[in-house]
Amino acid sequence: MFALEHPELIAPDSLWQWLVDEHGQYNGCHFWSNFEIVDLSFYRSPAYQAYFDYLDRAGGFFYERWGDAPVHSIAAALFLNASQVHYFSDIGYFHPSVVSCPRGARTQGRCVCDANKSFVQDGFCTVRFLQVKQSIVDPNATVPAHSGVVRYAEPVVRTVFSNE
């Protein structure tokens, strides 16, 4: 509901399409990583403060244990232009339920990672992010943002866009 109630806060070239399904409902996408580089003025901005206050009043931090990853990802997608958000595909991430092996020749052999268990790189949300960002930043690109198998997971959080 926040995004619908405050369209004036959404960046002109935002990545909101990354976050919603064909019905305009939050699809559960967010970055699965604890690696972020953020100018703290972003978190101090009026848009982020209004968003955070909205989420806090909804009670999900306390009652639902909402985490920083979806909160930060949704904020970046809504309040920043697509060109201001970068996905670091060459940095690995491990969480008991999620594994992301780094991509690229420079990273091969530099970390311990089972590529067969890597979900994030070819996951629906990462692929959707790359496709949506490319459609905004480089709409005439001749090389697709992703090719190959796309893996799917169930959505986790829905509060920002709906009353569910």
Side-chain angles (χ1 to χ4, degrees):
M1 292 297 287
F2 177 85
L4 300 175
E5 292 174 16
H6 298 282
E8 75 282 2
L9 298 177
I10 310 305
D13 286 334
S14 74
L15 292 161
W16 70 268
Q17 293 175 312
W18 170 51
L19 301 172
V20 296
D21 64 18
E22 63 276 5
H23 306 291
Q25 300 296 310
Y26 178 53
N27 60 17
C29 287
H30 63 278
F31 292 115
W32 289 83
S33 174
N34 287 33
F35 180 79
E36 300 174 359
I37 300 175
V38 181
D39 183 333
L40 292 178
S41 64
F42 174 70
Y43 292 136
R44 295 177 184 127
S45 70
Y48 187 86
Q49 289 297 308
Y51 164 70
F52 189 88
D53 290 343
Y54 178 90
L55 294 177
D56 191 34
R57 282 191 309 276
F61 293 120
F62 183 75
Y63 294 108
E64 303 294 331
R65 229 180 133 240
W66 292 340
D68 59 322
V71 171
H72 293 170
S73 298
I74 292 167
L78 293 177
F79 309 133
L80 297 174
N81 288 313
S83 62
Q84 295 175 285
V85 181
H86 178 75
Y87 172 68
F88 291 90
S89 63
D90 55 344
I91 295 176
Y93 175 73
F94 174 82
H95 188 274
S97 61
V98 177
V99 176
S100 176
C101 295
R103 283 245 165 102
R106 290 189 358 230
T107 59
Q108 298 302 316
R110 298 178 72 189
C111 69
V112 177
C113 188
D114 184 350
N116 294 321
K117 294 181 181 177
S118 184
F119 169 77
V120 175
Q121 295 288 355
D122 295 317
F124 168 77
C125 291
T126 304
V127 171
R128 184 163 174 82
F129 167 79
L130 296 172
Q131 291 169 338
V132 169
K133 182 174 178 178
Q134 184 179 55
S135 74
I136 296 168
V137 176
D138 190 9
N140 298 317
T142 56
V143 177
H146 180 274
S147 59
V149 176
V150 177
R151 300 178 191 188
Y152 295 87
E154 290 298 316
V156 181
V157 190
R158 296 194 180 277
T159 303
V160 175
F161 293 97
S162 70
N163 286 325
E164 294 180 23

